[in-house]
Amino acid sequence: MTIRNNFFALVKDGNEIVVNRIALGNELQVELTTMFSEQEADFLNDDTQVIPFDGQYKPEHDEVLAIGGFDLPQVFKDAIDSPMTLEPLHFNEETNSKIVAVFSGSNDGDEGYTALVQLFEGTRLIKPNMMNIVFGANDEFQKLEYYGMTLDSKLIALYKDNQLHFKSYHFTRRVFDLSNHYREATNQEVLALASHQHFAAIEEEAFLLMADHVVRQTIARIQRNDVLETFSVQDLCAKADEVNFDIEVSDGEIVLPNVKKELKLVLSFLDDQMFLGPITGQTRVSNSSRVI
């Protein structure tokens, strides 16, 4: 079992990932250990609801997303198990711009690894060539003469019990590879959907230009759920009528809009994200939902 009092910087240089040990004085090490433990308790506790990640639901403040059976990257494991074998972090202009995360963790034997992760962005760097001043002794401001960093007040991710817990897919994927758990449709898959027999012919290049990451994620879910294979054009039109949503049909084929905003509405409908408000009866589109 390792003791959770070592801290590391995850550095990305192109496709290369390196972990450096953050050398700390004893007093600061104790303070950071306490701070990270408190952030862990705030991030995941008995009042927190854990929601399985499906690439669709956006958690509330008292919820976290979780990917079960997630394999903690080997660089994290190696750092936690053998911290003193790592090169210490050396601050310079080149290295600092490549730091993506600060983390601490432990190997709890049969219970596996725990890793507490903060996102690190360039705005948190303290550079000596800038006028960084702090309120010091004798009620006087003093200039900081060395490189430094400002740590965050919260965790971005917590790996525990063989699960990766997080709140934001967007930020977490900057640290962990989540491509196997949440994917966007490729160009080939985008065009495969658009050329399905349910739809009228489209201009391929123009359609691809509209396919931003939201469109691609939605298309991936539609394909994963076999919507077009399960429902006929007639079925889809009937369901659209149920939520007062107009679908343009020509010669028995659905016409996909050539305006991105309108296309996203059609795709949201096919993704089961359109509904009638139970109070107002108005047609609404959800950008976050989960099965209950």
Side-chain angles (χ1 to χ4, degrees), residues 96-117:
N96 290 343
S97 63
K98 300 170 183 176
I99 300 173
V100 296
V102 173
F103 71 93
S104 179
S106 62
N107 183 352
D108 302 317
D110 293 339
E111 297 181 11
Y113 289 89
T114 297
L116 289 63
V117 186

Side-chain angles (χ1 to χ4, degrees), residues 40-286:
E40 177 185 7
D42 289 338
F43 190 86
L44 186 64
N45 53 60
D46 292 340
D47 295 325
T48 306
Q49 185 174 3
V50 179
I51 309 295
F53 177 68
D54 64 0
Q56 195 167 343
Y57 182 69
K58 296 181 180 179
E60 302 293 339
H61 72 280
D62 58 348
E63 299 172 333
V64 297
L65 303 172
I67 298 175
F70 188 88
D71 188 18
L72 186 68
Q74 192 61 44
V75 291
F76 282 79
K77 297 177 182 178
D78 291 343
I80 292 169
D81 289 337
S82 305
M84 301 312 295
T85 64
L86 301 177
E87 288 289 328
L89 179 65
H90 296 291
F91 273 98
N92 56 60
E93 290 287 348
E94 182 179 356
T95 301
N96 290 343
S97 63
K98 300 170 183 176
I99 300 173
V100 296
V102 173
F103 71 93
S104 179
S106 62
N107 183 352
D108 302 317
D110 293 339
E111 297 181 11
Y113 289 89
T114 297
L116 289 63
V117 186
Q118 285 191 3
L119 185 68
F120 190 86
E121 300 181 280
T123 54
R124 295 190 175 279
L125 293 174
I126 299 174
K127 302 178 181 180
N129 60 348
M130 299 181 68
M131 186 57 69
N132 300 296
I133 60 176
V134 295
F135 199 62
N138 301 320
D139 292 337
E140 294 179 349
F141 281 95
Q142 300 176 359
K143 181 183 177 183
L144 292 178
E145 303 288 347
Y146 306 99
Y147 278 103
M149 63 171 69
T150 302
L151 297 181
D152 206 341
S153 60
K154 61 184 180 301
L155 301 180
I156 187 179
L158 169 63
Y159 182 83
K160 191 173 185 178
D161 299 329
N162 204 35
Q163 294 189 87
L164 180 66
H165 304 82
F166 58 97
K167 290 181 178 291
S168 168
Y169 167 83
H170 173 73
F171 291 122
T172 306
R173 70 173 180 172
R174 292 166 61 178
V175 180
F176 296 98
D177 180 7
L178 302 180
S179 58
N180 290 332
H181 304 278
Y182 188 28
R183 57 183 297 274
E184 298 178 356
T186 64
N187 284 350
Q188 183 178 1
E189 290 168 330
V190 168
L191 295 178
L193 176 133
S195 61
H196 191 277
Q197 61 184 3
H198 282 9
F199 302 124
I202 52 96
E203 203 287 303
E204 292 187 355
E205 185 175 349
F207 194 83
L208 285 175
L209 288 175
M210 291 191 293
D212 59 18
H213 74 280
V214 173
V215 168
R216 290 173 183 271
Q217 290 165 359
T218 307
I219 287 176
R221 289 195 298 269
I222 293 170
Q223 292 172 322
R224 183 182 66 194
N225 293 327
D226 290 328
V227 174
L228 301 179
E229 307 307 321
T230 304
F231 300 98
S232 66
V233 171
Q234 185 176 2
D235 292 335
L236 292 173
C237 289
K239 290 185 176 297
D241 288 341
E242 292 175 6
V243 292
N244 298 330
F245 180 62
D246 292 326
I247 292 180
E248 182 181 353
V249 178
S250 176
D251 295 328
E253 297 173 326
I254 297 172
V255 178
L256 293 173
N258 56 12
V259 176
K260 184 190 293 187
K261 182 178 180 180
E262 296 174 3
L263 174 64
K264 287 184 175 180
L265 287 177
V266 173
L267 294 177
S268 292
F269 164 72
L270 295 174
D271 189 32
D272 205 23
Q273 296 301 306
M274 191 169 289
F275 63 99
L276 289 179
I279 305 300
T280 64
Q282 294 177 325
T283 302
R284 297 177 177 272
V285 177
S286 171

